[in-house]
């Protein structure tokens, strides 16, 4: 068992001196930057293209509501940091508490986004109503999907920890999920600013 655990925790470092898994995650996040950059650029190109007689995006935005939802997501970055700190000091109970807290905050954000989408659709601003609607729902929808994937990863880590299969030596797993989670939060700051705040 000791040999097995040692094999799991030893990974070759890349030329940068970093663990290959961390380099892989940074590479993946770099490609995600390009992906979201393309979606944001598309939104900026089409945001004012509204068909005559259809609802414009700025007519349905609820900035205070979205601001609260954004704050909830940003607070989840703090709980993610606390989760990583907990496993690094070997506190597995606190690790699970903060992982679940982060997942819950992410779920609240996604739930808020679904509610917001429902309100927009009721007011006639839909994926098919105009090019602006298509660009908006594609951008924010894909971000919501990324948050949902992050929530599933967090709950998976909490479950693995509860089974006793996430020792302190494997804290990099939590760190990698943390990198993904912080990326999703940063992307939302950009999306919120571009979509809701810049006229």
């Amino acid at each position: 068992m000791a040999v097995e655990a040692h094999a799991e925790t030893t990974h070759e470092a890349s030329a940068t001196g970093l663990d290959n898994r961390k380099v892989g995650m940074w590479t993946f996040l770099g490609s995600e930057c390009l992906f979201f950059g393309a979606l944001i650029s598309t939104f900026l190109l089409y945001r004012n293209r509204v068909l005559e007689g259809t609802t414009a995006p700025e007519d349905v935005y609820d900035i205070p509501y979205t601001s609260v939802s954004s704050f909830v997501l940003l607070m989840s970055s703090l709980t993610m940091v606390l989760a990583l700190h907990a496993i690094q000091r070997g506190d597995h109970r606190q690790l699970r508490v903060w992982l679940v807290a982060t997942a819950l905050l992410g779920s609240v954000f996604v739930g808020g986004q679904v509610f917001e989408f429902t309100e927009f659709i009721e007011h006639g601003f839909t994926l098919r109503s105009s090019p602006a609607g298509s660009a908006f729902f594609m951008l924010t929808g894909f971000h919501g999907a990324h948050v949902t994937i992050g929530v599933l990863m967090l709950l998976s880590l909490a479950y693995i920890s509860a089974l006793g299969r996430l020792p302190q030596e494997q804290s990099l797993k939590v760190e990698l999920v943390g990198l993904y989670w912080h990326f999703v939060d940063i992307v939302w700051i950009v999306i919120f600013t571009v979509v809701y705040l810049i006229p």
Side-chain angles (χ1 to χ4, degrees), residues 6-182:
H6 179 69
E8 285 180 6
T9 57
T10 56
H11 292 272
E12 289 185 20
S14 64
T16 62
L18 296 172
D19 188 291
N20 283 325
R21 293 170 296 171
K22 191 177 282 190
V23 173
M25 177 57 80
W26 279 112
T27 303
F28 168 72
L29 295 180
S31 68
E32 287 287 281
C33 285
L34 296 175
F35 174 72
F36 277 106
L39 288 176
I40 291 169
S41 299
T42 302
F43 175 80
L44 290 173
L45 286 171
Y46 290 99
R47 69 185 304 168
N48 295 319
R49 297 196 183 181
V50 181
L51 303 177
E52 190 175 341
T54 60
T55 307
E58 56 272 13
D59 295 337
V60 293
Y61 290 161
D62 186 349
I63 307 278
Y65 174 84
T66 311
S67 298
V68 172
S69 184
S70 301
F71 178 74
V72 168
L73 187 63
L74 292 179
M75 286 305 296
S76 70
S77 270
L78 172 61
T79 55
M80 187 69 238
V81 169
L82 293 172
L84 178 59
H85 183 63
I87 191 172
Q88 286 174 341
R89 67 174 190 270
D91 190 341
H92 297 284
R93 181 181 172 279
Q94 283 296 304
L95 165 67
R96 290 189 290 275
V97 166
W98 293 122
L99 285 174
V100 171
T102 307
L104 285 174
L105 289 170
S107 299
V108 168
F109 172 81
V110 172
Q113 196 172 43
V114 170
F115 174 78
E116 185 178 47
F117 285 0
T118 304
E119 290 289 303
F120 289 174
I121 291 168
E122 285 180 3
H123 286 87
F125 183 60
T126 69
L127 184 67
R128 297 182 178 183
S129 63
S130 64
S134 298
F136 171 83
F137 281 100
M138 288 294 286
L139 173 58
T140 54
F142 268 112
H143 179 267
H146 279 70
V147 175
T148 303
I149 291 168
V151 168
L152 294 175
M153 289 193 294
L154 291 163
L155 292 176
S156 297
L157 284 177
Y159 178 70
I160 292 168
S161 174
L163 295 177
R165 296 179 182 172
L166 191 60
Q168 185 177 358
E169 297 76 27
Q170 294 183 20
S171 64
L172 182 62
K173 291 179 180 178
V174 177
E175 186 177 351
L176 293 177
V177 173
L179 285 173
Y180 174 86
W181 193 257
H182 294 313

